[in-house]
């Protein structure tokens, strides 16, 4: 139960500084992980979880984060333990190297790396660009073509600078974006302070309801609450998929336990804190203004809540979503880059980066239904070899 030491892990993450090496500092590795995970899952994912699974889905999403912290600790520990040191002194690792060096199965490692490349173009690239483009078009009437080009330029400038540039950018902007978004959520919770106790009771009661007690848009059963709460929780924190371990392995620390604790806090901030606060805002708003959710899509519950922020509500949420999308584009570009390097060597990295930048533009302008379905399938395929490695190599993990 490494979760018991979350306060120690947070203190550790804030106290480990950059040593000046070519590798990432532990905090930069954490920020890169958060860059890839914070985003549409926290804003849109929680909205769809409540819409399809009822308020009880917030509870199960939160439980998924609590349990996922141990999963993240384990996969990051193994990735640091079985990583490879390159000729220039930098470390590379992740589930593909755990499968190769730990389980001695290079084929499974190659399979995982291939899935990671496809996921980078799906989860990390096209879906994020599309979400940002749709939000910008709805709020500011900007053309998806313009947004796609702008995102491609901004992301391209960062990822062409290499791993240190990615880490430095993420270290500076990810915490700031997260705190600004949470500040907006706390303003809303202050507005909904009378509804907040009722929202908490509704979430707990609905989480264990055997039959629909609300009906309609937010009706749910235990089965639906479990299904959508767990699914959206795993989508946002990616615990079990193994991608956070790729960033953890690039850390310059020599102690697998230290980096595992630091990386574990990503799940804490992403799901235990951010998703819970977003869920409380959504459910409190349903009690505060039931009419605000009538006739809106499943993804619109968060927007309906933020519309109550005077003057800036819609723009605030849209800017937050776009900022999170940019950081996710940057974080996932690194995951795909390391997977490409594993498959074809460093010679394939320039071609990967070029294609990734182009796909940001196309992601902003193409219909996304098929991409989302393929992304879910790829995430499931990535989880299988990663979880097998966790099971078979569990004796190596020490807290």
């Amino acid at each position: 139960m490494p979760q018991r030491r979350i306060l120690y892990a947070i203190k550790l993450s804030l106290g480990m500084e950059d040593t000046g090496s070519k590798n990432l500092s532990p905090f930069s590795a954490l920020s890169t992980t958060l860059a890839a995970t914070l985003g549409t899952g926290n804003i849109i994912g929680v909205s769809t979880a409540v819409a399809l699974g009822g308020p009880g889905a917030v509870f199960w999403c939160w439980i998924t984060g609590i349990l996922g912290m141990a999963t993240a600790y384990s996969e990051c520990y193994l990735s640091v333990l079985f990583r490879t040191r390159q000729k220039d002194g930098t470390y590379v690792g992740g589930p593909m190297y755990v499968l190769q060096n730990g389980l001695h199965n290079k084929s499974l490692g190659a399979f995982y790396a291939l899935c990671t490349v496809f996921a980078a173009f799906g989860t990390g690239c096209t879906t994020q660009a599309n979400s940002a483009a749709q939000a910008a078009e709805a709020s500011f009437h900007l053309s998806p073509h313009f947004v796609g080009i702008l995102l491609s330029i901004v992301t391209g400038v960062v990822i062409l600078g290499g791993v240190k540039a990615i880490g430095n950018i993420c270290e500076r902007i990810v915490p700031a974006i997260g705190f600004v978004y949470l500040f907006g959520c706390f303003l809303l919770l202050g507005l909904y302070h009378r509804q907040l106790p009722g929202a908490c009771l509704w979430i707990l009661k609905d989480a264990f309801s055997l039959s629909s007690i609300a009906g309609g848009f937010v009706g749910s059963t235990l089965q639906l609450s479990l299904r959508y709460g767990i699914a959206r929780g795993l989508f946002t924190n990616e615990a079990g998929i193994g991608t956070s371990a790729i960033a953890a392995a690039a850390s310059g620390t020599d102690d697998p336990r230290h980096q595992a604790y630091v990386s574990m806090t990503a799940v804490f901030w992403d799901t235990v804190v951010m998703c819970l606060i977003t869920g409380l805002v959504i459910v409190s708003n349903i009690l505060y203004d039931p009419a605000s959710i009538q006739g809106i899509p499943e993804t619109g519950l968060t927007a309906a809540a933020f519309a109550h922020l005077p003057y800036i509500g819609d723009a605030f949420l849209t800017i937050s979503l776009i900022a999170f999308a940019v950081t996710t584009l940057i974080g996932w570009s690194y995951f795909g880059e390391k997977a490409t390097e594993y498959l074809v060597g460093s010679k394939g990295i320039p071609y990967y980066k070029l294609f990734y930048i182009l796909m940001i533009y196309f992601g902003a302008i193409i219909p996304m239904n098929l991409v989302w379905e393929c992304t879910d399938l790829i995430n499931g395929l990535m989880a299988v070899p990663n979880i097998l490695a966790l099971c078979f190599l569990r004796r190596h993990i020490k807290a």
Side-chain angles (χ1 to χ4, degrees), residues 325-365:
V326 171
T327 59
T328 303
L329 287 168
I330 294 171
W332 261 98
S333 71
Y334 176 73
F335 298 160
E337 176 185 331
K338 294 295 103 177
T340 300
E341 184 178 15
Y342 180 86
L343 290 170
V344 298
S346 58
K347 63 180 182 296
I349 292 178
Y351 301 100
Y352 161 79
K353 289 182 176 180
L354 176 61
F355 191 64
Y356 189 89
I357 293 170
L358 290 175
M359 285 302 296
I360 294 174
Y361 168 74
F362 287 113
I365 64 174

Side-chain angles (χ1 to χ4, degrees), residues 2-321:
Q3 301 95 323
R4 294 177 302 170
R5 305 196 70 190
I6 183 59
L7 294 179
Y8 167 75
I10 293 173
K11 180 181 178 181
L12 196 64
S13 68
L14 298 176
M16 301 180 75
E17 300 179 353
D18 194 343
T19 60
S21 69
K22 296 180 180 179
N23 294 291
L24 294 177
S25 71
F27 186 73
S28 291
L30 169 64
S31 299
T32 303
T33 299
L34 283 171
T37 56
L38 291 179
T40 56
N42 304 94
I43 298 175
I44 296 176
V46 177
S47 175
T48 57
V50 174
L52 299 174
V58 176
F59 174 81
W60 294 114
C61 180
W62 185 74
I63 291 296
T64 301
I66 294 291
L67 299 177
M69 288 165 63
T71 311
Y73 176 93
S74 301
E75 57 195 19
C76 292
Y77 184 100
L78 291 177
S79 287
V80 174
L81 187 65
F82 291 108
R83 63 187 177 182
T84 298
R85 190 182 185 95
Q86 297 182 307
K87 293 180 180 179
D88 61 356
T90 59
Y91 290 112
V92 290
M96 52 274 199
Y97 290 92
V98 173
L99 291 164
Q100 175 183 314
N101 301 330
L103 287 184
H104 307 290
N105 193 321
K106 192 171 183 177
S107 297
L108 268 182
F111 173 77
Y112 181 90
L114 184 63
C115 289
T116 302
V117 173
F118 282 114
F121 292 128
T123 301
C125 184
T126 53
T127 56
Q128 302 299 324
N130 191 264
S131 296
Q134 288 184 357
E137 184 178 24
S139 297
F140 306 126
H141 309 292
L142 296 176
S143 166
H145 294 276
F146 172 77
V147 175
I149 293 172
L150 186 62
L151 288 175
S152 298
I153 294 173
V154 171
T155 307
V157 169
V158 176
I159 66 176
L160 291 176
V163 61
K164 290 292 286 188
I166 292 173
N168 290 335
I169 290 294
C170 292
E171 185 176 327
R172 286 169 172 76
I173 67 175
V174 171
I177 296 172
F179 282 122
V180 169
Y181 174 73
L182 283 177
F183 177 72
C185 288
F186 284 122
L187 287 178
L188 285 171
L189 290 178
L191 177 65
Y192 304 145
H193 67 278
R194 293 184 178 179
Q195 288 74 32
L196 186 57
C200 294
L201 290 175
W202 192 9
I203 288 171
L204 291 173
K205 186 176 181 180
D206 193 61
F208 299 96
S209 173
L210 297 177
S211 60
S212 177
I213 60 173
F217 193 64
V218 292
S220 66
T221 63
L222 175 61
Q223 179 185 0
L224 289 175
S225 293
L226 278 166
R227 174 185 176 186
Y228 289 105
I230 293 173
R232 294 302 181 267
L234 291 176
F235 174 81
T236 183
N237 62 46
E238 300 176 13
I241 297 176
T243 49
S244 63
I246 299 176
S251 167
T253 182
D254 295 325
D255 192 333
R257 293 171 300 175
H258 285 177
Q259 186 58 51
Y261 275 126
V262 171
S263 297
M264 180 184 74
T265 64
V267 179
F268 173 79
W269 294 119
D270 179 89
T271 309
V272 178
V273 176
M274 297 279 282
C275 286
L276 175 62
I277 298 300
T278 302
L280 288 174
V281 166
I282 290 172
V283 178
S284 297
N285 176 65
I286 295 173
L287 295 175
Y288 178 82
D289 185 10
S292 66
I293 67 169
Q294 300 301 318
I296 64 174
E298 298 161 355
T299 58
L301 291 184
T302 312
F306 270 84
H308 289 102
L309 271 180
Y311 307 112
I312 62 169
D314 182 58
F316 180 91
L317 185 64
T318 300
I319 292 172
S320 297
L321 184 60

